[in-house]
Amino acid sequence: KKKARESCSLPEPSWEERLANAVTPLWRLPYQEQLQVKYESQRKILQTLASRLEELGIDAQKPGGLCCPLQPVVPSPIINGYRNKSTFSVNRGPDGNPKTVGLYVGTGRERNIVCVKANHVENIPSKHKQVAQCYEEFIGHSPLDSCILFHEGGHWRELVVRTTSCGHTMAIVTFHPQELGQEALATQKALLKEFFTCGPGAVCALTSLYFQESTMTRCSHEQSPYQLLHGAPHIFEELLGLKFRISPDAFFQVNTAGAEVLYQAVGELCQATGDTVLLDICCGTGTIGLSLAHRVSKVIGVEVVEKAIEDAEWNAAFNGISNCEFHTGKAEAVLPQLLASWEDARPLVAVVNPSRAGLHYRVVRAIRSCRSIRRLLYISCKPEGEAMRNFLELCCPPDPRKKLAGEPFAPMLAIPFDLFPHTVHCELVLLFTR
């Protein structure tokens, strides 16, 4: 029996396979099958939403037990190497090298993290892999250790690579200063710059090289400024005939070709007319609002990242778009003030594209209380997460205890867009009306 089990047992997957399974779990499936898997997962989400709405006393059951019709998943125009942004970690590799640059297999909770090179991962473009390989070469020759656990010392940390269809490449190196003085830091920055401009790293032809000293897991520009060591302060992308400026920490959809398809569909779903005002919540660098500005009378964008708003304003000016205004700050602080005094008679359509944390309840409250908003498009890359809470808050009967006033919305249509081939994720666009 033992021999039979041994003969039937599969060989242990290689580290490369383990990484591919972790970050691109659908990589073995033909693309049409991947789309079908995603369709089924989105169908289950809409069934869950219908059940949750039923629990609130809302008759939301449509054919198939869904809360609204679900269209087929819209495929990505590019299937391999589509990512325009990759984040590489520095940690121990399968061979024990503590300066391996790659992606994680395992979890911190299980204490079994291994950093595996991503040379074979299908959704990462070759340029990103090239920069990661060069960074690994650089830190491999550095006398300074990698920073695996902050309290144990070490300095070299993660690498972010951003690229555009214009051929631009931005690299951002994160570095833990520990106890180093300014002179020692200046030396490391000079060495890094020299490597990527005159040394082996010059092959990467970086448009921009940034350096960020960070004592935290994640740092904004305001907390610790991005320091430009070489090249231009921004890279540029073209999308739907417009040119967009991108700062180191600005949000931009990770699949540019897929984003074009998504934004065109959003424009159709808005049913905007010449007198419509478009409210673009969590607007990032303004891509959605600016791409639809020619269809509406005015665009109002709200975004928490200050540098992204600077990009949005530059993007509007550069593209000759004058009917946009952008507000910096948390949506929960800006939006209630903006909508409380709203007296504009023009129709108001809202588009929200929040992070996985979803919208703050004050944002939902402000949207519901604004009678002018009759149509809302919610774009979510994780609708089964916190976005589900938002869907219920938008659709539930008025609730004085939660200060949720105003007429509830109802889900009318759902369209998934595959912006992340080989992974289980997609962007779901849910249309709500009232």
Side-chain angles (χ1 to χ4, degrees):
K1 285 184 179 178
K2 185 179 178 184
K3 283 184 178 178
R5 279 201 305 269
E6 286 174 354
S7 63
C8 293
S9 66
L10 294 169
E12 277 286 306
S14 66
W15 285 107
E16 288 74 21
E17 285 178 297
R18 290 190 213 181
L19 179 61
N21 293 339
V23 299
T24 51
L26 304 182
W27 68 278
R28 285 188 172 89
L29 293 180
Y31 190 54
Q32 288 305 314
E33 288 184 34
Q34 292 187 28
L35 295 178
Q36 192 56 39
V37 168
K38 297 189 185 201
Y39 179 84
E40 289 304 319
S41 68
Q42 300 304 304
R43 192 173 64 83
K44 287 175 184 173
I45 289 165
L46 295 187
Q47 285 176 332
T48 300
L49 179 54
S51 299
R52 298 284 297 276
L53 290 172
E54 290 280 336
E55 291 169 10
L56 296 173
I58 302 164
D59 181 15
Q61 293 281 355
K62 301 289 186 297
L66 307 182
C67 63
C68 63
L70 173 65
Q71 292 196 0
V73 181
V74 179
S76 171
I78 299 171
I79 298 167
N80 293 326
Y82 58 84
R83 291 189 65 90
N84 56 41
K85 180 183 178 183
S86 299
T87 302
F88 299 97
S89 299
V90 179
N91 211 309
R92 288 185 182 84
D95 61 355
N97 175 15
K99 291 183 175 179
T100 301
V101 176
L103 306 177
Y104 283 163
V105 174
T107 64
R109 184 179 296 174
E110 298 288 328
R111 296 186 177 180
N112 62 350
I113 283 178
V114 178
C115 194
V116 181
K117 292 183 185 183
N119 296 337
H120 60 293
V121 177
E122 294 188 353
N123 62 353
I124 299 177
S126 56
K127 172 61 78 172
H128 294 200
K129 296 169 183 176
Q130 181 188 46
V131 179
Q133 186 61 46
C134 285
Y135 180 54
E136 181 172 300
E137 183 182 342
F138 172 77
I139 65 174
H141 289 102
S142 171
L144 300 184
D145 292 335
S146 56
C147 178
I148 294 175
L149 295 172
F150 290 5
H151 65 277
E152 290 184 359
H155 301 276
W156 298 113
R157 291 184 52 214
E158 72 182 24
L159 166 76
V160 174
V161 184
R162 304 187 78 151
T163 49
T164 69
S165 59
C166 304
H168 299 167
T169 304
M170 176 187 287
I172 307 155
V173 169
T174 309
F175 184 91
H176 197 306
Q178 302 292 358
E179 305 302 320
L180 289 185
Q182 287 305 308
E183 194 175 326
L185 281 166
T187 299
Q188 295 308 315
K189 287 186 272 188
L191 289 169
L192 185 65
K193 177 182 175 180
E194 182 184 16
F195 178 87
F196 276 106
T197 55
C198 311
V203 69
C204 299
L206 295 182
T207 313
S208 311
L209 174 61
Y210 274 98
F211 184 87
Q212 188 187 39
E213 299 162 33
S214 173
T215 58
M216 295 180 280
T217 306
R218 284 282 181 276
C219 244
S220 67
H221 175 78
E222 287 72 32
Q223 292 167 315
S224 181
Y226 290 92
Q227 303 169 45
L228 182 65
L229 301 187
H230 164 73
H234 309 94
I235 55 175
F236 296 87
E237 183 57 284
E238 291 178 0
L239 189 145
L240 294 175
L242 302 176
K243 190 170 183 177
F244 290 92
R245 184 179 95 171
I246 303 171
S247 291
D249 61 343
F251 172 77
F252 200 91
Q253 280 286 3
V254 79
N255 178 341
T256 305
E260 288 191 310
V261 177
L262 171 65
Y263 296 162
Q264 283 174 316
V266 166
E268 298 299 324
L269 290 168
C270 281
Q271 291 188 355
T273 58
D275 62 342
T276 300
V277 177
L278 178 69
L279 184 59
D280 187 3
I281 303 168
C282 311
C283 67
T285 55
T287 45
I288 294 177
L290 292 171
S291 66
L292 302 182
H294 66 287
R295 296 180 180 229
V296 299
S297 63
K298 186 177 184 180
V299 173
I300 301 171
V302 179
E303 169 62 42
V304 67
V305 179
E306 200 172 316
K307 284 288 178 183
I309 287 292
E310 287 178 19
D311 286 346
E313 289 172 341
W314 186 94
N315 294 334
F318 182 84
N319 290 287
I321 299 170
S322 56
N323 62 338
C324 296
E325 67 178 54
F326 296 100
H327 299 263
T328 307
K330 291 182 178 179
E332 60 267 28
V334 174
L335 206 66
Q337 288 182 322
L338 200 65
L339 294 181
S341 56
W342 190 265
E343 293 178 353
D344 198 314
R346 292 175 291 184
L348 182 59
V349 175
V351 175
V352 301
N353 186 17
S355 67
R356 292 185 179 187
L359 293 173
H360 194 282
Y361 72 91
R362 284 190 196 133
V363 176
V364 178
R365 188 194 297 171
I367 290 169
R368 282 198 46 155
S369 297
C370 182
R371 292 181 182 178
S372 298
I373 301 176
R374 315 302 297 173
R375 198 172 188 87
L376 181 145
L377 286 165
Y378 196 120
I379 306 169
S380 175
C381 62
K382 195 176 181 183
E384 73 277 16
E386 289 301 308
M388 182 68 72
R389 168 181 55 83
N390 291 158
F391 302 157
L392 298 172
E393 290 167 340
L394 286 165
C395 298
C396 71
D399 188 342
R401 293 171 303 163
K402 295 182 180 178
K403 298 182 180 177
L404 279 170
E407 185 187 346
F409 287 84
M412 302 302 293
L413 180 66
I415 311 177
F417 291 80
D418 186 21
L419 265 62
F420 318 101
H422 306 302
T423 77
V424 295
H425 306 292
C426 55
E427 291 275 351
L428 181 67
V429 177
L430 253 178
L431 168 65
F432 293 92
T433 65
R434 62 176 176 176

